[in-house]
Each structure stands twice: as C-alpha cells, then as structure tokens.
Amino acid sequence: MKLSSVVVRVGLGAALVMELAACAGRQQVAAESESRPSTSLAAYYPLAVGNRWTYRVNGRADKTVDVEVLKEEDGYFHDNQGGQLSVDGFGIRDRKRYLLRGPLAAGNEWTNVVSVSSTERYRILQSGVPCEAPAGSFAHCVRVEARNRVDATTTLVNALTFAEGVGLVRVEVSAEKSNGERVPQTWLELASYKLQDSGT
C-alpha cells in the first residue's frame, strides 16, 4: 500500500449544534450534556458536499493538501483526492475499510481485510480526550491506530485522530521494525477547515 494513498484517503468534517433551554435547570442539563462527547460516529467525520479541509504535510506551512467533498453518489461522499467515504450503522468507512467503528471506547478493535494479502488491524487508543492542531483545540477527540504488516520485519502504523464536529485532524504514518523501533514516514495536521452547516 502506498503511503500517499493512505494519507489522502482520509480527510472531511461538520458541526454539532446544542440547544440551550430557558430555565436554569435545563441550562445545567444542557451544560452537562455539552461536556460529554457524542456517541454518534457521524459527529467525528461529518460529510457534506462543499466541506473543505486543508492539511499541513510534515508540519510545513508551505506544503499542504486540500480536501474538498465534491459530490455524493451511491451512498458515498467523493472528494477531490479520490477518497470515497460513508457513515453506516457500524462506523465511518471507505470502499475497503472502516476507519472508525463503534463503540467509541478505548480498546475497541476491528479488522479490515483490504486484499488477499493485506489485513489491517485497528484499535481505539483514546476516546473523549482533547487534541490540538494548527486549526485549533478540540475538546472531544478519538485516537485510532491502524497496523498493516508489510513484510517479516516491517509493520506500517497509521495513527488517526478525529475531532467531534470537525473530522480528521491528524494523521501520522510510521514504519515499525520487528525490534519495536518506529521510523516516522509522514504526517498531516489540520491547518484550516470550512464546513457547510457550521460557518467555521
């Protein structure tokens, strides 16, 4: 699997809106609800035509990848990088794999068989934790690690961070040797985003 295809397939986002009640008691309930992360998978990768994300590559402001959702077809949202994403009852997926599956709890694991010779193993490392990127600080994020054995001595490790109401905010790709040493390959971090329903 090419590193570039791993990196550009992941990209998109939309906002979560809370309605505050008029009385003090209802305001307290709303505030408590707002402090808890959403259990909706769609909130962590909101999909809508026109949504745009700009990612810095390897921390460089002069090297960016722009991802924009161009159309919805056959239940998938197609972006300008060739990605095709959808949210179903199990999670957020492209045509071959689930990038994020419920329940949104640390330790949740799943496997994607993407070809006869390639199996990816995913695990949620953290859920409901804060995260940061050049685009901002986000209160509720999910960190996922995907592992795919390349050969007898190397495993490709893809760390994905999703922020509630925004989408993918960080991708870190590294090669892990059989002795446990990790060699960074590339990473993306969210620099800015524009979501159709949120005004951000």
Side-chain angles (χ1 to χ4, degrees):
M1 176 189 305
K2 294 170 72 175
L3 290 179
S4 59
S5 66
V6 172
V7 171
V8 298
R9 281 204 165 137
V10 276
L12 315 172
L16 202 59
V17 177
M18 286 206 76
E19 192 175 350
L20 298 175
C23 74
R26 288 187 182 175
Q27 286 178 346
Q28 182 178 356
V29 170
E32 289 173 1
S33 295
E34 190 174 297
S35 69
R36 291 191 304 261
S38 174
T39 57
S40 167
L41 288 158
Y44 290 88
Y45 219 136
L47 299 170
V49 173
N51 284 356
R52 295 192 313 264
W53 299 261
T54 297
Y55 296 91
R56 289 183 185 172
V57 180
N58 298 340
R60 291 177 50 183
D62 63 336
K63 189 173 182 182
T64 61
V65 174
D66 295 309
V67 178
E68 181 176 0
V69 181
L70 301 178
K71 64 179 180 178
E72 181 183 3
E73 186 176 277
D74 301 327
Y76 284 84
F77 288 85
H78 299 243
D79 66 43
N80 63 324
Q81 298 291 334
Q84 298 178 29
L85 295 171
S86 179
V87 179
D88 63 21
F90 296 103
I92 300 163
R93 63 169 299 138
D94 63 16
R95 296 277 185 180
K96 294 185 175 183
R97 64 182 57 79
Y98 280 96
L99 301 172
L100 184 61
R101 279 191 70 147
L104 295 176
N108 182 31
E109 299 179 341
W110 63 97
T111 301
N112 295 306
V113 179
V114 295
S115 72
V116 176
S117 61
S118 181
T119 300
E120 299 172 347
R121 289 170 172 67
Y122 286 68
R123 183 172 188 264
I124 295 179
L125 301 178
Q126 293 178 302
S127 181
V129 297
C131 65
E132 292 184 2
S137 298
F138 310 102
H140 304 302
C141 303
V142 177
R143 291 185 60 237
V144 177
E145 183 179 82
R147 302 174 65 85
N148 187 350
R149 191 168 182 178
V150 177
D151 56 37
T153 62
T154 307
T155 298
L156 187 67
V157 181
N158 192 356
L160 309 170
T161 302
F162 301 88
E164 181 183 32
V166 176
L168 191 65
V169 298
R170 191 167 179 86
V171 179
E172 299 170 78
V173 180
S174 58
E176 184 178 272
K177 300 301 181 180
S178 55
N179 64 3
E181 177 191 1
R182 285 195 184 182
V183 179
Q185 301 295 305
T186 189
W187 72 91
L188 298 179
E189 53 187 0
L190 186 65
S192 64
Y193 60 101
K194 174 72 175 173
L195 307 177
Q196 294 305 301
D197 299 328
S198 69
T200 56

